[in-house]
């Protein structure tokens, strides 16, 4: 049922100055975790650096979970996980050559392709965005659908991020021009919640565990829920492959054995997730991810689990949905020919499935 076609990607978007990039990566290194089931790596094996667009976000949970389950070690890899608060910054670190891979949204591969950079998703974690549009209690009466975005301040993790992309699409789809509302970069977690409570934003797009915390604190309400394939279909018109491991195509072609080991590890994790409960998954994660509320963290995972694939395969028609979304508001992509066959590859997940079978 799923398409198994070879594809790869070009990319380069909103790049920060290289100096600030280095600073970001160095700062991110403070939240680095080397591979190992306990979180502190053994320092052995082939070294690979992966930047994650928020290690504690549930949508990117497979990155840390793979480490905690010991699957990187089992493949003979010493994986260093770095964290950036927004996917667009993680993407930038990859393009600058600071890391070998990025765990972030697949849509960046299309955005980067039209900017002359070849990047491809090598394993697809998800078939839905895992994103939720929330509105503050104060604005809930004024914003009952994306048709009401006009004149509003809407929070996104970062300008040029996937939350920014999706917010713009929802606006355009519902008759609101992208210039008729104001996107505000507020990150995720406490900074997003604070902006919502203080009225700096009227609403915004975020993920779990931020969503679960907002609902628990009664700081806002859900406007659109895209944590399930059904929610993605309703809001975006099809499956929306989001969380993935993407890498520069040249690096992939030159290090196929290493990429295969990475994909093997991630596919094992996705399969493991499909056979374990949210409570069991939460128990494997670092204790501080629950921020003192284990039950709420497990609930956040439970709400987001439907977005994940169980085999790492790109969902059928997923790339086409992403292209449609980006072309609706992004003039660079709207007027460009995107070669979807170069934005992802199923070569490695197919081999991982055979070895697992």
């Amino acid at each position: 049922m799923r398409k198994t076609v070879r594809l790869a990607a070009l990319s380069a978007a909103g790049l920060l100055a290289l100096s600030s990039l280095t600073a970001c990566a160095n700062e991110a290194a403070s939240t680095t975790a080397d591979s190992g089931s306990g979180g502190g790596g053994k320092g052995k094996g082939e070294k690979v650096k992966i930047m994650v667009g928020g290690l504690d976000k549930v949508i990117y949970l497979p990155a840390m979970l793979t480490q905690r389950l010991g699957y990187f070690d089992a493949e003979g890899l010493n994986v260093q996980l770095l964290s950036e608060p927004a996917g667009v910054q993680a993407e930038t670190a990859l393009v600058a050559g600071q890391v070998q891979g990025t765990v972030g949204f697949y849509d960046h591969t299309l955005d980067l392709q039209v900017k002359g950079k070849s990047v491809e998703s090598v394993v697809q974690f998800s078939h839905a965005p895992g994103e939720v549009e929330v509105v503050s209690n104060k604005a809930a009466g004024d914003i009952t659908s994306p048709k009401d975005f006009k004149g509003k301040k809407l929070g996104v993790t970062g300008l040029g991020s996937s939350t920014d992309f999706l917010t713009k699409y929802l606006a355009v789809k519902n008759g609101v021009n992208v210039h008729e509302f104001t996107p505000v970069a507020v990150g995720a977690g406490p900074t997003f919640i604070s902006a919502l409570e203080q009225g700096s934003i009227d609403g915004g797009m975020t993920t779990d565990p931020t969503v679960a915390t907002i609902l628990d604190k009664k700081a806002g309400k859900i406007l659109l829920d895209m944590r399930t394939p059904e929610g993605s279909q309703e809001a975006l018109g099809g499956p929306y492959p989001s969380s993935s491991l993407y890498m520069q195509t040249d690096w992939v072609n030159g290090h196929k054995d290493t990429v295969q080991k990475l994909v093997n590890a991630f596919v094992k994790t996705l399969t493991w997730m499909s056979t374990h409960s949210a409570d069991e998954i939460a128990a494997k994660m670092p204790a501080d991810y629950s921020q003192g509320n284990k039950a709420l963290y497990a609930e956040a995972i439970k709400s987001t689990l439907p977005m994940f694939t169980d085999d790492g395969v790109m969902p059928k028609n997923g790339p086409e949905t992403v292209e449609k979304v980006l072309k609706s508001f992004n003039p660079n992509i709207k007027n460009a020919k995107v070669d979807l066959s170069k934005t992802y590859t199923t070569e490695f997940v197919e081999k991982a499935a055979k070895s697992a079978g």
Side-chain angles (χ1 to χ4, degrees):
M1 216 133 143
R2 286 176 172 167
K3 189 192 256 180
T4 54
V5 190
R6 162 96 170 98
L7 296 106
L10 303 161
S11 59
L15 302 182
L16 307 173
L18 197 56
S19 59
S20 71
L21 252 182
T22 304
C24 285
N26 290 341
E27 183 181 343
S30 66
T31 57
T32 291
D34 290 326
S35 72
S37 58
K42 299 173 184 176
K44 297 178 181 178
E46 192 172 355
K47 291 187 178 180
V48 182
K49 286 185 181 181
I50 296 176
M51 186 69 82
V52 184
L55 262 174
D56 58 351
K57 294 178 183 176
V58 178
I59 58 170
Y60 299 141
L61 179 148
M64 179 58 75
L65 182 58
T66 302
Q67 181 193 80
R68 303 285 285 189
L69 290 171
Y71 291 159
F72 290 137
D73 279 346
E75 292 288 336
L77 297 173
N78 177 16
V79 173
Q80 188 179 35
L81 297 175
L82 304 169
S83 187
E84 276 287 6
V88 65
Q89 292 160 348
E91 163 204 286
T92 302
L94 176 71
V95 173
Q98 296 179 326
V99 294
Q100 287 76 53
T102 292
V103 170
F105 267 38
Y106 161 73
D107 55 19
H108 289 293
T109 68
L110 281 74
D111 186 52
L112 288 170
Q113 183 180 115
V114 300
K115 293 171 181 172
K117 297 292 181 179
S118 183
V119 176
E120 61 188 357
S121 165
V122 296
V123 55
Q124 198 60 48
F125 298 164
S126 59
H127 45 195
E131 301 283 354
V132 177
E133 185 73 24
V134 297
V135 293
S136 69
N137 292 327
K138 183 179 178 182
D142 296 328
I143 306 176
T144 58
S145 86
K147 293 178 181 178
D148 302 320
F149 282 176
K150 189 173 182 178
K152 301 297 190 292
K153 293 174 291 183
L154 301 175
V156 296
T157 50
L159 301 181
S161 67
S162 295
T163 51
D164 189 20
F165 291 165
L166 287 171
T167 301
K168 286 175 177 173
Y169 173 72
L170 291 174
V172 170
K173 181 187 176 186
N174 288 275
V176 179
N177 191 287
V178 293
H179 303 297
E180 293 181 311
F181 70 93
T182 305
V184 183
V186 292
T191 54
F192 186 100
I193 296 168
S194 176
L196 196 68
E197 291 178 323
Q198 294 175 10
S200 303
I201 56 175
D202 300 299
M205 192 172 291
T206 191
T207 60
D208 278 311
T210 306
V211 176
T213 304
I214 288 169
L215 298 178
D216 185 60
K217 296 179 70 171
K218 296 180 172 54
K221 300 174 181 177
I222 291 178
L223 181 70
L224 282 172
D225 192 338
M226 295 178 284
R227 291 176 291 190
T228 66
E230 295 78 15
S232 176
Q233 179 71 41
E234 184 178 349
L236 306 173
Y240 197 92
S242 56
S243 305
S244 65
L245 172 66
Y246 62 84
M247 314 178 89
Q248 296 210 54
T249 302
D250 284 348
W251 199 90
V252 172
N253 292 337
H255 302 80
K256 289 200 171 188
D257 288 346
T258 304
V259 176
Q260 189 64 61
K261 291 174 184 178
L262 285 167
V263 173
N264 289 347
F266 280 124
V267 170
K268 283 182 194 173
T269 298
L270 292 168
T271 302
W272 188 93
M273 288 170 61
S274 72
T275 57
H276 289 75
S277 69
D279 286 324
E280 290 171 320
I281 294 170
K284 290 288 184 182
M285 301 301 286
D288 60 337
Y289 281 22
S290 67
Q291 298 180 0
N293 192 330
K294 291 182 179 179
L296 188 64
Y297 182 58
E299 186 61 33
I301 292 175
K302 183 179 180 181
S303 298
T304 304
L305 273 178
M307 75 175 277
F308 293 107
T309 68
D310 60 7
D311 56 11
V313 176
M314 176 65 75
K316 184 179 181 181
N317 299 324
E320 289 81 2
T321 304
V322 172
E323 182 182 28
K324 178 194 72 174
V325 167
L326 296 183
K327 278 184 176 291
S328 73
F329 66 84
N330 187 322
N332 294 328
I333 293 181
K334 188 174 185 177
N335 301 315
K337 170 64 177 173
V338 178
D339 187 348
L340 293 177
S341 71
K342 292 182 177 178
T343 60
Y344 73 95
T345 175
T346 59
E347 172 186 349
F348 301 100
V349 291
E350 286 171 3
K351 288 181 180 176
K354 286 178 183 175
S355 62

